[in-house]
Amino acid sequence: MQQFSDITITIFTPTYNRAKFLPKLFSSISQQVQPGTGAEWLVIDDGSTDNTSQVLEELRKERPDLVRYVRFVNGGKHRAINRAAKLARGRWIMIIDSDDLLSDGAFASVTKHTLAVEENERIGILRALKQFPELAVENIFKVPENPCTHADWLAAQAAFDSAEVIRTSVLARYPFPEFEGERFMAEGWLWHSIEKTHLTQYVNKHWIVCFYQEEGLSASSQRIRANSPRSTRAVYAAMLGSPLPWHLYIKAVINWWRYHFHATAQGDSKVGWSWLSLWAAVPGWIIYLRDKDALK
């Protein structure tokens, strides 16, 4: 069995009530990650109420060299990522959701690209492509230079859902804020925080095959964000700390006010705004009112 010091890649999966998907994900990983090839599959069970624990135990018995799982009280994906940064044995963490699959050849590609940038401490993230069989969408990165910052990417093209591999030490440096009673924070907070000190290397290869579930986070995004307004407001605050193009800056500051009103309605009277952003309060208030009507 490989020693902890031999592990380079931690493939990390946060999961909540997705037991039926885990065997397929495990199969896509175990077929590519043979014993002794420098990887582990770390699964954090975020308080599932289905048979996730039993399924993971059976998978662990099948590949004890590969599978690790830990169970916590339900707290949301961002808290699971915080915990993964502390628990991971690999120098790099690849995040893959429980209802997705590892693309054919992805592990070899991840290994190749992490080794290529291992000594370049300025690079904190490798960002590759996700494949969407159900949507027939084909994305490609068009960045001004490579590596570059997350904001540079946003300035070059409309962002799309991508696959990330993060240097573990960098992930540990930027833990998500955790607000009591809130169980969602968009990963954009992390990308905008990391870019303050590190660059992203863009890889035009498919690393993950992605399937969106009707009951998933993406399907109910508006309600989930409104139920975690302080977390969502923090995401837009992080965006406003980046050198965004003007149209994205305007969108971010209006949305900051939108979720500020949501947070205030839930008893959080924190100010945190500047006089320069007061112009955005009115459109933010209007969108907040629309949210209230839509979420009734």
Side-chain angles (χ1 to χ4, degrees), residues 200-242:
T200 299
Q201 181 82 30
Y202 292 85
V203 181
N204 278 310
K205 298 286 185 181
H206 290 124
W207 283 354
I208 292 176
V209 182
C210 187
F211 303 92
Y212 285 125
Q213 306 303 318
E214 290 184 2
E215 74 280 11
L217 290 177
S218 299
S220 53
S221 174
Q222 186 177 358
R223 183 175 299 277
I224 290 171
R225 291 170 190 267
N227 288 335
S228 297
R230 291 173 294 172
S231 299
T232 304
R233 183 175 59 187
V235 173
Y236 287 110
M239 289 182 66
L240 293 171
S242 297

Side-chain angles (χ1 to χ4, degrees), residues 93-268:
I93 297 179
M94 179 181 194
I95 302 175
I96 179 168
D97 290 339
S98 51
D99 52 351
D100 295 338
L101 301 174
L102 192 65
S103 298
D104 291 342
F107 179 68
S109 180
V110 170
T111 301
K112 171 186 173 181
H113 284 90
T114 53
L115 287 175
V117 301
E118 187 75 55
E119 301 304 318
N120 186 353
E121 294 287 345
R122 284 283 288 143
I123 296 177
I125 305 173
L126 296 174
R127 174 170 277 126
L129 303 173
K130 285 185 177 181
Q131 186 177 5
F132 300 88
E134 299 167 325
L135 303 179
V137 173
E138 188 63 37
N139 293 312
I140 188 170
F141 294 115
K142 300 175 182 178
V143 291
E145 57 183 356
N146 200 10
C148 61
T149 67
H150 183 66
D152 288 334
W153 176 39
L154 297 183
Q157 67 181 135
F160 49 81
D161 200 1
S162 56
E164 288 82 27
V165 177
I166 311 161
R167 199 181 291 268
T168 304
S169 59
V170 174
L171 190 61
R173 180 175 176 178
Y174 293 101
F176 285 93
E178 299 183 11
F179 296 97
E180 185 176 357
E182 298 190 0
R183 290 191 287 274
F184 174 77
M185 178 175 262
E187 288 164 56
W189 181 91
L190 182 61
W191 314 140
H192 285 289
S193 298
I194 290 177
E195 74 176 355
K196 295 174 183 177
T197 53
H198 292 79
L199 300 174
T200 299
Q201 181 82 30
Y202 292 85
V203 181
N204 278 310
K205 298 286 185 181
H206 290 124
W207 283 354
I208 292 176
V209 182
C210 187
F211 303 92
Y212 285 125
Q213 306 303 318
E214 290 184 2
E215 74 280 11
L217 290 177
S218 299
S220 53
S221 174
Q222 186 177 358
R223 183 175 299 277
I224 290 171
R225 291 170 190 267
N227 288 335
S228 297
R230 291 173 294 172
S231 299
T232 304
R233 183 175 59 187
V235 173
Y236 287 110
M239 289 182 66
L240 293 171
S242 297
L244 296 174
W246 67 268
H247 65 287
L248 293 180
Y249 176 86
I250 290 173
K251 181 178 179 180
V253 73
I254 290 173
N255 276 309
W256 186 95
W257 277 101
R258 171 189 184 181
Y259 289 101
H260 175 73
F261 292 127
H262 276 290
T264 300
Q266 296 182 22
D268 183 346

